[in-house]
Amino acid sequence: MLAALMLAAAWASLLPHLFSPLWIAVPIAAFAGMVLYHYRVRHERDRAERAAAFYRRGIARLQDCWAGGGAGGERFSDARHVYAADLDLFGRGSLFELLCTARTRMGEECLAGWLLAPAPPESIRARQAAVAELRERLDLREQLAVAGEGAGPGVYPAALASWAQMPNSLQQRWLGWAAWLLPALALAALIAWAAGGIVAPLIVILLAEGAVLYRLKARVEQVLHGVEDAFDGLALFSALLGRLERERFDGALLQALMQRLSSRTLPAARAIERLRSIANYAGSRHNQLGQLLGTPLMYGAHVARAAERWRRLHGGAVRGWVDAVGELEALLCLATYSYEHPDDPFPELAGGAPDFEGTAVAHPLIPAGRRVCNDVAFGGGTRVLLISGSNMSGKSTLLRTVGINTVLAMAGAPVCARALRLTPLQLGASIRVNDSLQEGSSRFYAEISRIRQLFDAAGTGQGDGAGPGDGPGRSLLFLLDELLQGTNSADRRVGAEGIVRAFVERGAIGLVSTHDLALTDLRGLPPGCLRNLHFEDEMTDGRMSFDYRLREGVVTRSNAVALMRAVGLEV
């Protein structure tokens, strides 16, 4: 309607001369105001939609219907990692999906790194304190969730840091003079042409500018393409930095991270906002006006030099900004989990011999209404828990429960238990190991290869728990599900005894599950080193039921034949 009014006013003022042409400014101003208002309304609508999505995802996590609704972190999955696939760290319905609320890729990368490798005890305690401080800051998490533009994770940290650390190539003094002098001369020549009709000076200057730009073309395009390629998501990065800089923290870790968000005297948010403007200028050279004025004004050279000036001033600080924001986002992910699971405590880190003492330990990925808690304790004199039981009784789930809570504990997060006390542990698992057609390996070969990886992690210490690269006092916690089930009974017994004995001699502790009762009497171990526990089942009216409660001793019956008969097999 305003556009039609503007056209009508233009016709009435310019053709019939009904009123002054100055009145055309009224509908033009109204139209411009409506465009700005429309942009603001759309911006607020997008923020409201992101806020609604933030709370919908939170409610879904509280209702245990979150699987498939968030980032699964599949790009971090590594089949050769010693526990990631075994414990469902990544993928649909994974621990990463449950925890991750990060807005940036560096936040996702930091969180994944914490899940894939245990932290030193001092780092764990610092993270616990930071998570406790961030837990109740719901407003901060909501404002970060709606900041910037777009709903998906933004900012490419590798490209950003790589561009920021590249050497400058356009800061020669002569180029600075030429970039300003030649456009000024071109403007003077243009005026001379318009006033006196003399075009030769303008042609000469344009040719000179073209020669300079041709000589610099490769370097200018390298800088400008780097700006355009590396800085998708700068609006999000700037918005996150600006919001974080306004927050005040008390904890030592959070204060240290905030101190890294500056470059000399300029806060990181303002520096990134300036870089965002440069990136927008770089993109403008592709439009029609930019192409028309590119040579006379030497537009590309000016933008490229501005980008390099920014890089000279702030490039050295970019890696610190990226790492600090990634770590802050990872801490906020753990704080969100802690806020949504108020009954989950932080584990207590102990010193001394390897130890794991859990009360009412449960699996965080199993819905609260279906999960079963068990007390699990081993360490000191008892180095190995051997879990026997029938099929589907809960043996593998117990191993995963111990493992995933250890991952949470070593990352600095709360654990799914009433209480947990443990020493620093390096985790290793052989639970979900299968054959590989691509690699030409059998299930048995894949299993013993994984066990060799665990031996390497355990090191050669005699009970001190020191492993290579793990630092003093970090012992291996091994989780072996259905140990050596890919070979015959005699070899299995001999092999299992040797493997468990070797782990114990290397100072490791762990859990071994089996439904082969011959393995419940492993020889060659110190007295009291191995403790037998089991799960039971019950057959009622042809239906198998389980209570998933851990009991002392060795299981006394098997359900394999009953299960085969229950599905109609005549055995």
Side-chain angles (χ1 to χ4, degrees):
M1 184 177 70
L2 284 173
L5 180 61
M6 183 172 60
L7 292 174
W11 177 84
S13 63
L14 298 177
L15 294 181
H17 301 290
L18 298 178
F19 47 79
S20 171
L22 294 178
W23 284 99
I24 302 176
V26 176
I28 292 176
F31 182 77
M34 289 299 296
V35 169
L36 294 175
Y37 178 74
H38 180 66
Y39 173 80
R40 180 178 177 183
V41 169
R42 289 188 58 182
H43 179 68
E44 292 302 320
R45 183 198 64 186
D46 292 342
R47 286 176 59 89
E49 288 177 350
R50 290 197 295 272
F54 169 76
Y55 283 104
R56 279 197 299 269
R57 289 192 295 268
I59 292 171
R61 289 191 295 269
L62 293 176
Q63 295 177 342
D64 288 317
C65 56
W66 50 269
E74 287 83 0
R75 72 182 188 276
F76 304 114
S77 183
D78 179 4
R80 288 184 169 81
H81 191 269
V82 290
Y83 60 79
D86 302 84
L87 302 181
D88 301 301
L89 293 194
F90 305 106
R92 188 182 188 277
S94 63
L95 180 62
F96 183 87
E97 184 180 353
L98 175 61
L99 295 176
C100 185
T101 56
R103 294 293 312 281
T104 69
R105 284 172 174 80
M106 51 265 204
E108 293 184 343
E109 290 172 2
C110 184
L111 177 62
W114 288 0
L115 299 181
L116 289 170
E122 59 273 13
S123 297
I124 295 174
R125 294 187 180 96
R127 291 176 193 172
Q128 289 178 350
V131 170
E133 183 175 349
L134 293 170
R135 180 167 46 208
E136 301 300 326
R137 301 200 184 195
L138 182 60
D139 288 344
L140 171 62
R141 296 197 293 275
E142 177 188 345
Q143 290 162 10
L144 292 174
V146 304
E149 300 174 358
V155 188
Y156 294 85
L160 182 61
S162 175
W163 179 88
Q165 294 169 0
M166 290 175 60
N168 289 336
S169 60
L170 294 171
Q171 296 303 312
Q172 298 89 342
R173 181 169 296 182
W174 71 265
L175 179 57
W177 284 103
W180 289 106
L181 179 61
L182 289 176
L185 293 175
L187 179 60
L190 180 63
I191 294 173
W193 179 33
I198 305 175
V199 71
L202 179 61
I203 295 175
V204 172
I205 294 170
L206 289 177
L207 289 175
E209 288 181 318
V212 173
L213 291 176
Y214 181 79
R215 178 182 176 184
L216 301 174
K217 181 179 179 180
R219 283 181 284 175
V220 168
E221 288 301 312
Q222 181 184 34
V223 174
L224 296 183
H225 278 304
V227 172
E228 293 170 328
D229 294 342
F231 300 113
D232 182 27
L234 274 182
L236 171 61
F237 196 27
S238 177
L240 293 179
L241 286 167
R243 179 60 188 87
L244 288 169
E245 288 170 357
R246 295 196 303 271
E247 198 74 11
R248 294 295 175 264
F249 300 110
D250 298 322
L253 175 58
L254 294 173
Q255 288 183 352
L257 291 173
M258 293 306 300
Q259 288 174 0
R260 292 161 61 182
L261 297 182
S262 64
S263 174
R264 300 183 180 177
T265 59
L266 190 65
R270 289 181 58 190
I272 290 294
E273 188 60 30
R274 291 184 182 180
L275 183 58
R276 181 188 173 196
S277 298
I278 295 172
N280 290 334
Y281 293 143
S284 298
R285 78 188 192 282
H286 299 299
N287 61 39
Q288 292 180 344
L289 183 61
Q291 292 175 348
L292 178 64
L293 300 178
T295 298
L297 299 181
M298 298 187 70
Y299 183 83
H302 280 289
V303 176
R305 281 176 56 81
E308 289 201 338
R309 281 195 299 272
W310 188 97
R311 185 160 58 187
R312 186 179 69 249
L313 292 173
H314 311 295
V318 168
R319 172 56 67 183
W321 299 345
V322 166
D323 292 343
V325 170
E327 193 164 345
L328 283 164
E329 280 208 291
L331 290 169
L332 286 163
C333 289
L334 301 187
T336 300
Y337 176 82
S338 181
Y339 178 81
E340 294 172 352
H341 300 79
D343 295 331
D344 289 4
F346 288 110
E348 176 189 351
L349 286 180
D355 189 37
F356 184 101
E357 299 177 15
T359 303
V361 182
H363 200 298
L365 303 184
I366 298 176
R370 293 194 290 110
R371 68 173 63 129
V372 176
C373 303
N374 282 289
D375 295 345
V376 183
F378 54 104
T382 302
R383 310 299 295 275
V384 181
L385 299 184
L386 201 152
I387 315 299
S388 57
S390 57
N391 297 288
M392 303 190 303
S393 61
K395 302 187 302 296
S396 300
T397 300
L398 179 68
L399 267 62
R400 291 191 175 99
T401 298
V402 170
I404 203 167
N405 278 288
T406 302
V407 169
L408 288 170
M410 294 295 102
V415 292
C416 189
R418 187 181 306 154
L420 177 60
R421 181 181 183 274
L422 75 170
T423 54
L425 295 170
Q426 169 66 50
L427 191 62
S430 176
I431 300 175
R432 190 175 287 154
V433 179
N434 298 304
D435 57 356
S436 173
L437 291 175
Q438 287 77 19
E439 297 181 3
S441 63
S442 66
R443 199 271 182 198
F444 178 73
Y445 184 81
E447 182 181 10
I448 60 175
S449 297
R450 170 61 60 81
I451 291 173
R452 177 53 195 261
Q453 281 185 275
L454 305 191
F455 279 162
D456 293 339
T460 57
Q462 298 295 322
D464 62 359
D470 293 333
R474 179 173 296 159
S475 307
L476 176 71
L477 169 58
F478 60 89
L479 307 171
L480 308 178
D481 189 33
E482 300 295 349
L483 181 59
L484 303 182
Q485 68 175 354
T487 188
N488 63 71
S489 298
D491 285 348
R492 185 181 192 185
R493 169 84 181 245
V494 174
E497 288 181 354
I499 288 171
V500 173
R501 183 171 60 251
F503 275 126
V504 171
E505 289 173 351
R506 285 166 168 78
I509 60 174
L511 281 76
V512 180
S513 74
T514 185
H515 59 252
D516 185 349
L517 299 186
L519 297 186
T520 60
D521 185 26
L522 295 179
R523 309 284 176 83
L525 297 176
C529 180
L530 184 143
R531 178 184 174 195
N532 274 293
L533 301 170
H534 73 278
F535 290 101
E536 290 186 354
D537 60 86
E538 185 175 347
M539 181 70 73
T540 305
D541 297 329
R543 299 188 63 179
M544 191 74 65
S545 63
F546 307 92
D547 63 7
Y548 305 112
R549 298 292 180 183
L550 194 59
R551 295 173 170 84
E552 290 287 342
V554 180
V555 69
T556 57
R557 63 176 181 268
S558 173
N559 67 3
V561 174
L563 279 174
M564 287 186 281
R565 289 173 177 168
V567 299
L569 294 176
E570 297 296 333
V571 293

